[in-house]
């Protein structure tokens, strides 16, 4: 008989239990009867039947809804818009990570497709993947689609992860909390942060907003903040473009918060094209933990 997702997830978590800490009291945790995660003070978190863990100390309402994550999953897994960047990130991990067994967490993983694709590419090293996001809708979709990683609903600014337990943090087009990142990374641990450059999804900006509203974006502040916290081993400029079909354009619009404030008529005109070239323009920062 095939193991339930709940049991499978509880076994996976047991294998990396030292990487967990209680999101409420910060004490060590253990897996109890393959049903729940329990801390020294008996704070108890049950494995959901879909296989994920809900580890928020208090409920937080996410503004991201299920529809956005479904669209994002379709774009990442089916349109190949991000395929080359997954390959580049995988090669960078191979180049900079020397440990044989790598515990990697994606902080702000959404529905988990980037993490799954990077794990798919990284076959030469032994990886254990964890995905964490504050949005339950994203984590539920991740647990439904991808069995290999451990999926956690949690707050990256106060994570349920123990000190110095993570080899690689992925932080892809997501908010950061560098104090927290440094706390959970091992001494030589790495952060791989992906930030947008000015031309990232520029077609959407150009289509949605009239010129005056369109603000020029620069990522220099983001990058200099990152440099204050980590020793930057490499900064890779990633540039790629793909022609998306009408259906893919619709998913792209549904997945991006850019479109929330866009004029509905302009949005409609954009998705009513038979195809359109979309530019992916990003910086990949590889930072090494500086232990103070
Ligand atoms: Zn506790």
């Amino acid at each position: 008989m095939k193991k339930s997702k709940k049991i499978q997830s509880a076994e996976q978590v047991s294998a990396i239990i030292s990487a967990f800490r209680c999101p409420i009291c910060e004490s060590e945790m253990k897996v109890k009867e393959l049903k729940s995660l329990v801390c020294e003070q008996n704070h108890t978190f049950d494995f959901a039947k879909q296989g994920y863990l809900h580890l928020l100390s208090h409920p937080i309402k996410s503004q991201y809804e299920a529809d956005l994550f479904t669209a994002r999953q379709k774009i990442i897994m089916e349109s190949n818009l991000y395929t080359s960047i997954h390959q580049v990130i995988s090669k960078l991990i191979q180049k900079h990570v020397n440990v044989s067994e790598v515990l990697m967490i994606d902080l702000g993983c959404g529905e988990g497709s980037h993490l799954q694709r990077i794990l798919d590419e990284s076959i030469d090293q032994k990886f254990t993947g964890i995905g964490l996001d504050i949005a339950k809708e994203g984590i539920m979709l991740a647990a439904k689609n991808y069995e290999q990683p451990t999926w956690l609903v949690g707050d990256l600014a106060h994570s349920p992860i123990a000190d110095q337990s993570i080899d690689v943090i992925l932080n892809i087009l997501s908010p950061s909390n560098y104090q927290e990142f440094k706390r959970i990374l091992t001494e030589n641990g790495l952060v791989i942060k992906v930030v947008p450059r000015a031309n990232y999804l520029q077609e959407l900006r150009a289509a949605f907003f009239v010129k005056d509203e369109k603000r020029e974006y620069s990522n220099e502040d983001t990058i200099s903040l990152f440099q204050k916290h980590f020793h930057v081993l490499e900064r890779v400029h990633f540039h790629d473009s793909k022609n998306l079909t009408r259906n893919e354009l619709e998913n792209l619009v549904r997945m991006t918060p850019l479109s929330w404030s866009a004029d509905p008529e302009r949005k409609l005109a954009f998705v009513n094209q038979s195809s359109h070239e979309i530019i992916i323009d990003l910086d990949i920062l590889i930072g090494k933990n500086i232990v103070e």
Side-chain angles (χ1 to χ4, degrees):
M1 200 177 86
K2 197 174 180 287
K3 274 179 200 161
S4 74
K5 283 200 165 183
K6 191 170 163 173
I7 300 280
Q8 196 186 326
S9 169
E11 286 177 350
Q12 278 175 208
V13 168
S14 301
I16 49 169
I17 191 64
S18 61
F20 285 81
R21 76 170 198 185
C22 177
I24 298 168
C25 70
E26 302 181 359
S27 70
E28 288 179 20
M29 307 201 83
K30 60 177 189 229
V31 175
K32 195 176 164 191
E33 295 162 0
L34 295 181
K35 272 188 191 144
S36 39
L37 200 58
V38 184
C39 81
E40 289 169 355
Q41 295 193 40
N42 258 342
H43 296 125
T44 302
F45 305 87
D46 293 336
F47 287 89
K49 70 170 191 303
Q50 300 92 331
Y52 66 90
L53 274 166
H54 194 280
L55 295 176
L56 281 173
S57 54
H58 52 281
I60 297 172
K61 177 84 186 115
S62 158
Q63 53 185 337
Y64 294 152
E65 288 171 3
D67 182 59
L68 175 147
F69 293 115
T70 308
R72 216 178 86 128
Q73 192 224 356
K74 287 215 162 76
I75 285 288
I76 296 172
M77 300 312 261
E78 292 167 20
S79 80
N80 288 331
L81 187 60
Y82 294 94
T83 303
S84 326
I85 197 169
H86 297 137
Q87 289 163 350
V88 170
I89 291 174
S90 164
K91 289 213 171 73
L92 286 167
I93 294 171
Q94 236 176 68
K95 179 176 166 189
H96 291 289
V97 178
N98 306 316
V99 290
S100 57
E101 293 188 14
V102 185
L103 185 56
M104 176 159 79
I105 189 166
D106 184 351
L107 293 174
C109 69
E111 84 307 328
S113 307
H114 285 308
L115 174 62
Q116 182 61 48
R117 284 286 300 113
I118 291 165
L119 288 170
D120 288 344
E121 293 289 340
S122 307
I123 44 172
D124 297 334
Q125 279 160 302
K126 188 178 183 302
F127 279 90
T128 303
I130 305 174
L132 178 142
D133 202 281
I134 207 159
K136 187 180 164 189
E137 291 75 11
I139 292 299
M140 283 175 72
L141 195 59
K144 187 179 155 206
N145 289 314
Y146 315 123
E147 283 193 4
Q148 193 192 354
T150 292
W151 301 110
L152 311 175
V153 180
D155 183 0
L156 66 78
H158 186 76
S159 77
I161 303 297
D163 295 359
Q164 299 200 346
S165 59
I166 299 291
D167 302 302
V168 178
I169 291 175
L170 297 173
N171 185 227
I172 302 173
L173 302 167
S174 275
S176 305
N177 183 305
Y178 295 139
Q179 291 306 332
E180 189 67 351
F181 286 14
K182 287 154 80 91
R183 180 185 70 75
I184 67 175
L185 274 182
T186 57
E187 201 165 312
N188 291 310
L190 296 185
V191 186
I192 299 178
K193 182 168 178 67
V194 177
V195 294
R197 291 173 59 95
N199 289 332
Y200 180 60
L201 303 181
Q202 63 171 11
E203 309 76 11
L204 289 186
R205 263 179 275 266
F208 289 173
F209 306 105
V210 286
K211 263 227 153 65
D212 307 349
E213 298 173 61
K214 197 178 112 187
R215 276 175 298 162
E216 266 307 310
Y217 173 79
S218 158
N219 66 16
E220 283 312 316
D221 289 349
T222 310
I223 289 173
S224 66
L225 185 65
F226 185 84
Q227 283 167 334
K228 279 188 190 138
H229 291 277
F230 301 100
H231 172 58
V232 178
L233 300 175
E234 226 177 306
R235 172 178 170 178
V236 178
H237 175 194
F238 178 87
H239 187 96
D240 197 13
S241 67
K242 288 254 154 37
N243 256 311
L244 296 194
T245 63
R246 179 194 299 242
N247 187 15
E248 290 168 340
L249 290 174
E250 211 176 316
N251 283 324
L252 186 70
V253 168
R254 278 164 60 205
M255 76 167 225
T256 170
L258 259 182
S259 57
W260 293 349
S261 54
D263 177 65
E265 268 177 42
R266 284 171 163 268
K267 244 181 355 192
L268 197 62
F270 182 77
V271 298
N272 273 334
Q273 308 173 93
S274 58
S275 78
H276 196 86
E277 189 186 44
I278 297 294
I279 292 172
I280 297 294
D281 191 33
L282 302 162
D283 276 317
I284 308 171
L285 307 170
I286 318 295
K288 191 171 162 183
N289 199 8
I290 301 169
V291 181
E292 281 141 11

